[in-house]
Amino acid sequence: MTADEERGGPDRRRAEVAAAAERAFRLLPAAPGDLPASDGRASVPARRITADPDTVERDLMKLVLTLVELLRQLMERQALNRVDEGDLTEEEEERLGATLMLLHDRMTGLCARYGLTMDDLNLDLGPLGTLLPPPE
């Protein structure tokens, strides 16, 4: 018996995916026309992107560093799994640990250079929580 059959078959799995997609679409912000106008004027979305030329470089670096930090944390978890499974030699473990520590130090340095903290990189995804897991 396959895993799909144990859970109710492919039709149940499709229904679960459809329900998850429906929940996700309910989380999307409303389009300007969907919002009720309170005073007769055209309604505007609650959040707007501010394109300030003075902060473009910092905002772009924040986005790039957020992605790099996410990947760094994923690589760190994968490395810990490999160490726990015994897939690496002692030398490989040392080299991997040193590389991850160096990457973390460089991330901290780049954050400082652009006036960011590591907490600034943890984007708030609203009802989904934060992008990065809390520090251990």
Side-chain angles (χ1 to χ4, degrees):
M1 182 177 269
T2 67
D4 274 340
E5 290 169 350
E6 290 176 16
R7 288 189 295 252
D11 290 334
R12 180 169 177 197
R13 182 70 181 135
R14 282 189 205 103
E16 289 172 357
V17 170
E22 181 182 344
R23 285 191 307 273
F25 284 118
R26 275 189 266 140
L27 296 175
L28 292 175
D34 295 343
L35 298 173
S38 58
D39 58 358
R41 294 183 298 157
S43 58
V44 295
R47 295 182 185 172
R48 289 181 175 253
I49 296 174
T50 54
D52 184 5
D54 298 332
T55 63
V56 168
E57 182 178 8
R58 181 180 184 273
D59 294 343
L60 181 59
M61 281 307 297
K62 181 178 177 181
L63 177 61
V64 169
L65 290 175
T66 297
L67 293 173
V68 171
E69 177 61 13
L70 178 63
L71 292 173
R72 186 195 68 77
Q73 288 187 16
L74 291 172
M75 288 186 330
E76 189 174 274
R77 283 199 179 91
Q78 183 64 30
L80 289 174
N81 286 340
R82 291 189 65 193
V83 167
D84 289 343
E85 292 174 5
D87 290 349
L88 302 173
T89 66
E90 195 170 311
E91 181 182 312
E92 289 172 327
E93 287 178 21
E94 289 294 324
R95 193 174 64 218
L96 187 56
T99 301
L100 289 172
M101 286 191 322
L102 179 64
L103 180 56
H104 185 269
D105 290 345
R106 295 278 168 86
M107 285 291 297
T108 304
L110 284 169
C111 283
R113 179 178 174 185
Y114 287 94
L116 300 166
T117 64
M118 293 301 278
D119 289 336
D120 291 334
L121 304 182
N122 198 0
L123 302 178
D124 183 6
L125 302 176
L128 299 176
T130 56
L131 177 66
L132 303 172
E136 297 173 354

Short mmCIF file of all heavy atoms in Angstrom, two decimals, residues 50 52 55-64:
data_model
loop_
_atom_site.label_atom_id
_atom_site.label_comp_id
_atom_site.label_asym_id
_atom_site.label_seq_id
_atom_site.Cartn_x
_atom_site.Cartn_y
_atom_site.Cartn_z
N THR A 50 7.57 51.95 -0.88
CA THR A 50 8.17 53.27 -0.94
C THR A 50 9.50 53.15 -1.67
O THR A 50 10.38 52.41 -1.25
CB THR A 50 8.41 53.86 0.47
OG1 THR A 50 9.17 52.92 1.22
CG2 THR A 50 7.09 54.13 1.17
N ASP A 52 12.32 55.06 -2.23
CA ASP A 52 13.13 56.19 -1.84
C ASP A 52 14.53 56.02 -2.42
O ASP A 52 15.22 55.06 -2.08
CB ASP A 52 13.18 56.30 -0.32
CG ASP A 52 13.92 57.53 0.17
OD1 ASP A 52 14.32 58.35 -0.67
OD2 ASP A 52 14.09 57.65 1.39
N THR A 55 17.46 55.14 -0.05
CA THR A 55 17.56 53.86 0.66
C THR A 55 17.55 52.65 -0.26
O THR A 55 17.50 51.52 0.21
CB THR A 55 16.42 53.72 1.68
OG1 THR A 55 15.17 53.70 0.98
CG2 THR A 55 16.44 54.83 2.71
N VAL A 56 17.59 52.87 -1.56
CA VAL A 56 17.52 51.75 -2.50
C VAL A 56 18.65 50.76 -2.28
O VAL A 56 18.43 49.55 -2.21
CB VAL A 56 17.51 52.26 -3.96
CG1 VAL A 56 17.73 51.14 -4.93
CG2 VAL A 56 16.20 52.95 -4.26
N GLU A 57 19.88 51.25 -2.14
CA GLU A 57 21.03 50.35 -1.97
C GLU A 57 20.89 49.55 -0.68
O GLU A 57 21.09 48.33 -0.67
CB GLU A 57 22.33 51.13 -1.96
CG GLU A 57 23.55 50.25 -1.84
CD GLU A 57 24.85 51.03 -1.88
OE1 GLU A 57 24.84 52.27 -1.84
OE2 GLU A 57 25.90 50.37 -1.94
N ARG A 58 20.51 50.21 0.41
CA ARG A 58 20.36 49.52 1.70
C ARG A 58 19.24 48.48 1.63
O ARG A 58 19.38 47.36 2.11
CB ARG A 58 20.07 50.53 2.80
CG ARG A 58 19.93 49.89 4.17
CD ARG A 58 19.64 50.97 5.24
NE ARG A 58 19.60 50.42 6.56
CZ ARG A 58 18.51 49.90 7.12
NH1 ARG A 58 17.38 49.87 6.46
NH2 ARG A 58 18.56 49.42 8.35
N ASP A 59 18.11 48.84 1.02
CA ASP A 59 16.99 47.92 0.91
C ASP A 59 17.34 46.71 0.04
O ASP A 59 16.95 45.58 0.35
CB ASP A 59 15.75 48.63 0.35
CG ASP A 59 15.21 49.69 1.31
OD1 ASP A 59 15.57 49.65 2.50
OD2 ASP A 59 14.45 50.56 0.85
N LEU A 60 18.07 46.96 -1.04
CA LEU A 60 18.50 45.86 -1.90
C LEU A 60 19.46 44.94 -1.15
O LEU A 60 19.34 43.72 -1.21
CB LEU A 60 19.17 46.40 -3.17
CG LEU A 60 19.65 45.35 -4.17
CD1 LEU A 60 18.50 44.47 -4.64
CD2 LEU A 60 20.32 46.02 -5.35
N MET A 61 20.39 45.52 -0.40
CA MET A 61 21.32 44.71 0.39
C MET A 61 20.57 43.92 1.45
O MET A 61 20.91 42.77 1.73
CB MET A 61 22.39 45.59 1.02
CG MET A 61 23.50 45.98 0.07
SD MET A 61 24.27 44.58 -0.78
CE MET A 61 24.98 43.68 0.58
N LYS A 62 19.54 44.51 2.04
CA LYS A 62 18.75 43.80 3.04
C LYS A 62 18.11 42.57 2.42
O LYS A 62 18.14 41.49 3.01
CB LYS A 62 17.68 44.73 3.63
CG LYS A 62 16.83 44.08 4.69
CD LYS A 62 15.82 45.06 5.25
CE LYS A 62 14.92 44.39 6.26
NZ LYS A 62 13.92 45.32 6.81
N LEU A 63 17.55 42.72 1.22
CA LEU A 63 16.93 41.59 0.54
C LEU A 63 17.96 40.51 0.20
O LEU A 63 17.75 39.33 0.46
CB LEU A 63 16.22 42.07 -0.73
CG LEU A 63 15.57 40.99 -1.59
CD1 LEU A 63 14.49 40.26 -0.80
CD2 LEU A 63 15.00 41.60 -2.85
N VAL A 64 19.09 40.92 -0.36
CA VAL A 64 20.14 39.96 -0.74
C VAL A 64 20.68 39.25 0.50
O VAL A 64 20.83 38.02 0.52
CB VAL A 64 21.27 40.67 -1.51
CG1 VAL A 64 22.47 39.76 -1.69
CG2 VAL A 64 20.76 41.16 -2.87
#
